[in-house]
Amino acid sequence: MPKQRAKLRLGRRSLVWRMSRRIRQRMTWDYWKTLLATIVWVAPLTLLIWGVAEREQIVSGESTVRLDPRSQDTTLSIRMPGRSTDSVQLTFEGPRVGVSAVNEFLLETSREGGLVFSVSDALPVGEVSTIDLRQALQDERVFSENGVRIVATSPATADVFVDKIVTQVWPVLAETGIDPNLIITFEPTGATVVGPQRVLEQSSQRLYVEFPDNALTDVGTEPRLLDELSIVLPDDVAIPLTIDPQRVDATVRRKATVLENYVIRTMIIRVAKPAAVEGQLRIKVDPFVLNNIEVTGPPEMIARLERGEVQGVAVLDVPGNVLPGQRRATLRIELPNGVRLVDEPPAIDYEVTAVSP
């Protein structure tokens, strides 16, 4: 038994020695050089294949965008009537990198106003046509160049109205609410407007000028020049139009007012006492009315005086340092807007007496 065990241990040692010798013989410098070269070539290739596979992995995406239909024919205009937002929800699929590029593009276009897409020039002019949105949008470069396919749109169709682009000349007017007594002239008197024929025909066909704050304040009969004023579209035009020029100069002056005279038969005298003398002094005015006060003013205001809709008042302003006795003062006449006295304000005598304690 001991001899058999010794032979077995010897055999094992011999086997290990032969295997280690064989490994040492094979793992030479050439072996390691070949192995390293293989790793250098295989590792990048593996990473490249993995990266390409990741990029080309098919994924899906969704986005809601506003639409901006256009025609390749510059003489035509395309609008989407009857849609409150002109928006559509897109569902699409394609390579991961392509879907990512499309998502970025759609996000950017949503900030700029909408996704521009072409509509067939074969659609009838002056009529509403229904188009397939998936088919119309699929041909756009952002989808085709990125290998992205539109799976569905919501809604699936949209109505478009094809209209001619026409040119008209509209007059330039002052904005509403301007003082009617101002005479305003513009240079030039009109501007060229370019836009869809149906929109222009259904509008008021006039342009308005915005005046800066206080530009029309204290305008007299002498002309005042206001230059480079902005032109704006009327409220009944809901889409942008091309206007040329976009600014005009204005000359503003006030009409020479035709005045009319009138005699106020009776005007009450009101006493205005300062708080310092209230309850201490008594003011006696006799008579307490004025008669036959001649005034002048705009005809419309004189007519209101005649009808009793407005009236004038004479005011006796008592000074705070007045002393008892006979006094004389010039009355202050309060008249309606635009009306003034023909002569100087009258003076009257009044009596000041102390109030007994």
Side-chain angles (χ1 to χ4, degrees):
M1 289 296 292
K3 291 182 179 181
Q4 291 180 351
R5 291 178 180 173
K7 288 181 179 181
L8 182 58
R9 285 196 296 270
L10 182 61
R12 289 177 178 172
R13 291 176 182 173
S14 177
L15 178 60
V16 172
W17 181 82
R18 287 195 303 270
M19 290 178 64
S20 62
R21 181 182 178 186
R22 187 173 300 173
I23 292 173
R24 285 195 304 270
Q25 290 175 347
R26 290 185 176 181
M27 291 189 178
T28 61
W29 169 248
D30 292 336
Y31 172 82
W32 289 108
K33 185 168 63 173
T34 302
L35 179 61
L36 181 61
T38 302
I39 293 175
V40 168
W41 279 99
V42 172
L45 184 60
T46 302
L47 293 175
L48 178 61
I49 294 173
W50 179 84
V52 171
E54 177 71 12
R55 288 165 57 90
E56 296 302 320
Q57 181 184 3
I58 301 300
V59 297
S60 61
E62 288 187 353
S63 181
T64 300
V65 295
R66 296 187 68 248
L67 299 178
D68 185 5
R70 303 285 180 89
S71 173
Q72 295 182 355
D73 186 345
T74 57
T75 65
L76 297 179
S77 167
I78 310 293
R79 291 183 289 119
M80 302 179 71
R83 296 173 60 87
S84 59
T85 60
D86 298 334
S87 63
V88 61
Q89 183 177 7
L90 304 178
T91 303
F92 44 87
E93 64 179 17
R96 181 183 298 274
V97 65
V99 170
S100 177
V102 168
N103 277 325
E104 291 181 5
F105 178 83
L106 295 180
L107 180 61
E108 185 65 26
T109 57
S110 65
R111 298 193 189 102
E112 297 177 356
L115 174 62
V116 177
F117 70 99
S118 299
V119 175
S120 172
D121 297 338
L123 296 178
V125 177
E127 299 181 12
V128 175
S129 301
T130 302
I131 61 172
D132 185 298
L133 284 176
R134 189 186 69 83
Q135 181 179 355
L137 296 174
Q138 184 63 68
D139 295 335
E140 294 305 308
R141 292 177 56 184
V142 63
F143 299 105
S144 59
E145 291 184 354
N146 286 288
V148 173
R149 182 177 69 90
I150 298 178
V151 178
T153 66
S154 179
T157 62
D159 292 338
V160 294
F161 182 81
V162 183
D163 204 355
K164 291 182 180 179
I165 297 293
V166 297
T167 301
Q168 296 180 355
V169 177
W170 288 2
V172 176
L173 305 175
E175 58 186 347
T176 57
I178 297 297
D179 186 347
N181 292 317
L182 296 179
I183 300 176
I184 304 176
T185 57
F186 297 104
E187 180 59 40
T189 59
T192 301
V193 180
V194 181
Q197 182 177 8
R198 180 71 62 87
V199 174
L200 269 59
E201 289 177 349
Q202 294 179 348
S203 71
S204 57
Q205 299 187 356
R206 60 190 64 190
L207 300 169
Y208 293 95
V209 173
E210 285 187 332
F211 288 91
D213 294 341
N214 302 321
L216 301 180
T217 303
D218 299 329
V219 175
T221 56
E222 293 298 321
R224 176 188 296 181
L225 178 62
L226 303 173
D227 55 3
E228 294 293 310
L229 300 177
S230 298
I231 296 177
V232 295
L233 291 168
D235 294 336
D236 56 6
V237 176
I239 67 171
L241 301 177
T242 302
I243 304 174
D244 184 36
Q246 297 183 352
R247 295 179 179 274
V248 295
D249 297 338
T251 301
V252 184
R253 64 180 178 87
R254 185 169 294 278
K255 296 178 182 178
T257 305
V258 177
L259 301 179
E260 183 176 313
N261 288 1
Y262 175 70
V263 176
I264 302 176
R265 296 305 177 186
T266 303
M267 184 180 293
I268 296 176
I269 300 174
R270 178 170 59 85
V271 178
K273 292 189 294 184
V277 300
E278 187 68 38
Q280 300 179 16
L281 299 176
R282 180 182 292 112
I283 309 298
K284 181 180 179 181
V285 179
D286 189 20
F288 61 90
V289 295
L290 295 178
N291 297 315
N292 300 325
I293 304 300
E294 188 175 7
V295 298
T296 185
E300 61 274 12
M301 192 59 70
I302 295 299
R304 295 186 65 187
L305 276 172
E306 292 178 339
R307 295 193 297 266
E309 297 176 2
V310 293
Q311 60 184 1
V313 177
V315 181
L316 172 60
D317 293 310
V318 178
N321 58 353
V322 68
L323 297 175
Q326 288 293 124
R327 299 288 179 258
R328 187 173 181 80
T330 300
L331 295 174
R332 174 166 53 90
I333 308 298
E334 295 181 350
L335 294 169
N337 187 33
V339 180
R340 59 181 177 82
L341 292 173
V342 172
D343 300 317
E344 294 296 322
I348 63 168
D349 295 324
Y350 65 98
E351 182 181 0
V352 181
T353 58
V355 176
S356 301

